[in-house]
Amino acid sequence: MSRRKTRPRTSPAAAPAVTSGSPCPCGLAAEYGACCGRFHTGTGGTAPTAELLMRSRYSAFVVRDEAYLLRTWEPGTRPETVDFDPGLRWKGLEIEATTEGTPFHRTGTVTFTARYVHGGEPGAMRERSRFTRHEGAWVYVDGDVTEEHG
């Protein structure tokens, strides 16, 4: 998930309260601490598949974990910072398709729709994200936003 549009730099609003025991924002039936939170803290190693990396990156956008997002971005396409829009709240993730991206692959894609509310208006963003292995771990390379409406 890129959301790399240029916007004026503003101080991010407080991230939504997500605790270790909260439902994981990625949509899997697990608590945040046992799901994406373990990747964010590093206690669960690295995501073993491109889909799990996608889910953990979505959750990192929800909780505004810039360090994790930058750490899981391919160095050649990684921005210097992540610009969180203080008026945007992520509301749900739906994985639509995956290609490759298993522990046995070097590359993979994940197509997803992420729902959000921005300035009180609901919207959705659809992206086909590309992933690769870097030093053995899955990283986000880039993505094509094929649809955005609000």
Side-chain angles (χ1 to χ4, degrees):
M1 183 158 37
S2 60
R3 304 279 317 162
R4 288 173 52 166
K5 293 181 181 175
T6 304
R7 294 189 183 100
R9 192 87 179 138
T10 58
S11 298
V18 176
T19 66
S20 182
S22 297
C24 194
C26 81
L28 292 178
E31 293 178 344
Y32 170 71
C35 194
C36 294
R38 67 192 167 115
F39 299 131
H40 295 172
T41 63
T43 59
T46 60
T49 66
E51 180 181 337
L52 285 177
L53 180 62
M54 176 63 246
R55 288 179 179 278
S56 69
R57 286 179 55 82
Y58 169 82
S59 292
F61 273 97
V62 171
V63 301
R64 300 190 179 143
D65 186 342
E66 180 179 40
Y68 181 77
L69 290 166
L70 294 174
R71 187 170 67 246
T72 58
W73 216 309
E74 198 274 327
T77 59
R78 178 175 47 222
E80 289 186 29
T81 61
V82 177
D83 189 13
F84 297 107
D85 184 333
L88 188 137
R89 293 288 179 264
W90 295 105
K91 296 299 198 176
L93 176 69
E94 177 186 339
I95 302 295
E96 297 171 3
T98 61
T99 58
E100 298 185 334
T102 73
F104 304 104
H105 293 107
R106 299 268 325 133
T107 62
T109 64
V110 179
T111 303
F112 66 91
T113 297
R115 305 214 180 284
Y116 61 86
V117 173
H118 186 259
E121 296 294 320
M125 174 186 135
R126 186 168 191 262
E127 182 174 322
R128 181 178 182 266
S129 296
R130 286 179 284 281
F131 298 88
T132 192
R133 297 272 190 170
H134 178 74
E135 298 178 354
W138 284 108
V139 291
Y140 172 80
V141 177
D142 60 17
D144 298 319
V145 176
T146 57
E147 177 181 341
E148 191 170 346
H149 51 85

